[in-house]
Amino acid sequence: MSDAAENPLGPDAPPAREHAGRAEQLDVADPLGALRDRFVLDDTVYLDGNSLGALPRAVPDRVADVIAREWGELRIRSWSESGWWTAPERIGDKIAPLIGAAPGRVVVGDSTSVNLFKAVVAGIRMAGKGCTEILVDATTFPTDGYIARSAARMTGLAVRPVEPARIGDEVTERTALALVNHVDYRTGRLNDLPGITAALHSAGALAVWDLCHSAGALPVGLDAHGVDLAVGCTYKYLNGGPGSPAYLYVRESLQERFDSPLPGWNSHAEPFGMDPDYAPADGIVRGRVGTPDILSLLALEAALVAWDGVTIEDVRAKSLALTDFFLDCVAAYAPQGRVRSVTPAEHQRRGSQVSLACADAGEVMAGLIRRGVVGDFRHPDVLRFGFTPLYTSFADAEQAAWVLGEVLRAQPEVEAGATGGRG
């Protein structure tokens, strides 16, 4: 008997929704499940927290108070009375435990790009005089490469792109530093921060890490692994809001040698002395530049309240459980051969997103969004789904996979080569 005869809906009928009950069980048992109430959410399945985190409930009232009272009433007095002046270091200390850093090693302010520039140029200045090159993650987010090449031109060094897994083999005594992404933005691959850092140090080079896709999603261990310099954004898994300020980490033993290429009055030892000669402040303060963006800084500080009582280890455990479960659901619900995971299956090589190679990915993602599942795609053929354990549920993961299957069944199959695809 044919399949069509056995199934009155025909051979292309959707599969049974066999993982829905399992999702409910996992959510009931989830020790982080109650944290979802700390965010402003609706019926949308939001899996784009790797681009922009959801709004924490503590933020609107805090921002309203900053505007109405601290700015509206106290005005200039708020620099001292409301703690505006110390916000970059204070908020840095709140981020520090999430990236494995002690207090006094993280400062918040400026954009990721600006902090990358500070870190790379300062790293080159700290390197030995015989250094002639910097290594750059060959799979890096484009801006990191742009910044590295600009810094190299300014300092007379060459840039050599290297696959992260090969940095240990490619580093030489002529290498000043390597700039590496902890998690690949396209595939979700987790790079070996401890191993790469150790390999760089064994050759006398510095390790500069971009944590944009790992901070707030998994343990980083900057202090434990001896990372020299690191930067990261705060609007992804830290939920700081659109364009929220980035942060800069400087290893404690390097802080007195940190020579910023952007010396500003905020990083001066006597900022109100208005001395025409620059004298850097002690410690992490020398990572500051100009006047802090107070509204965004204090919104970020309020957003970090969502982390109260949460350990990054528990977040990592849920992240891996969520991504495993989502991949199981996709395997069950998506038409065979239409999508392929490009995210490593091994836990030690996976961040907190799942990337699926899919022909006509842009149209597929548009179909998902129309049906209330929000992820994103990267050219030419990658669907990205970010899992933020503070508010993503297992029901979200199951629903997203189910809707993906519906969209793929509703859209005509496109040959992968038509979009330059790999899947």
Side-chain angles (χ1 to χ4, degrees), residues 68-341:
R69 183 179 63 84
E70 295 184 7
W71 180 12
E73 297 176 12
L74 296 178
R75 293 180 285 273
I76 197 70
R77 292 160 52 196
S78 280
W79 284 104
S80 57
E81 295 182 24
S82 300
W84 288 3
W85 185 261
T86 57
E89 296 78 48
R90 183 178 71 245
I91 300 170
D93 285 346
K94 293 180 183 295
I95 292 172
L98 302 179
I99 54 176
R105 298 176 191 181
V106 180
V107 65
V108 180
D110 306 311
S111 67
T112 306
S113 300
V114 170
N115 283 319
L116 273 170
F117 181 74
K118 294 180 209 171
V120 171
V121 174
I124 292 171
R125 290 175 174 177
M126 286 188 277
K129 292 183 179 180
C131 295
T132 60
E133 67 174 11
I134 61 176
L135 305 183
V136 175
D137 178 350
T139 60
T140 192
F141 188 76
T143 295
D144 291 31
Y146 305 156
I147 295 293
R149 287 174 173 83
S150 178
R153 288 196 303 271
M154 292 175 60
T155 56
L157 273 64
V159 171
R160 187 155 59 96
V162 177
E163 292 286 333
R166 290 200 51 78
I167 287 175
D169 297 322
E170 297 286 339
V171 63
T172 74
E173 70 279 0
R174 298 185 302 278
T175 305
L177 59 85
L179 172 59
V180 195
N181 284 253
H182 196 195
V183 172
D184 184 278
Y185 79 99
R186 184 182 295 275
T187 67
R189 183 192 67 241
L190 174 63
N191 290 318
D192 181 8
L193 182 146
I196 292 173
T197 299
L200 289 167
H201 288 172
S202 69
L206 299 180
V208 182
W209 286 89
D210 181 333
L211 309 179
C212 285
H213 287 270
S214 59
L218 54 91
V220 178
L222 295 181
D223 285 351
H225 301 304
V227 168
D228 302 296
L229 300 153
V231 303
C233 65
T234 61
Y235 47 79
K236 301 183 189 297
Y237 297 109
L238 298 181
N239 310 296
S244 57
Y247 55 88
L248 170 69
Y249 165 90
V250 183
R251 181 157 56 90
E252 185 178 37
S253 63
L254 295 180
Q255 289 180 3
E256 293 309 305
R257 296 173 54 204
F258 183 83
D259 182 8
S260 175
L262 295 173
W265 77 285
N266 257 235
S267 63
H268 197 284
E270 296 290 342
F272 293 97
M274 303 303 165
D275 192 328
D277 295 322
Y278 181 72
D282 291 332
I284 195 62
V285 175
R286 63 177 59 194
R288 294 172 65 154
V289 184
T291 305
D293 185 342
I294 292 300
L295 296 182
S296 292
L297 268 173
L298 299 185
L300 169 61
E301 185 173 33
L304 293 170
V305 170
W307 285 89
D308 286 355
V310 180
T311 70
I312 197 66
E313 290 75 19
D314 286 346
V315 167
R316 177 59 168 167
K318 183 177 176 182
S319 165
L320 293 172
L322 278 167
T323 49
D324 279 344
F325 180 67
F326 177 70
L327 287 167
D328 288 344
C329 291
V330 170
Y333 297 160
Q336 187 173 5
R338 293 292 299 277
V339 295
R340 175 177 59 85
S341 176

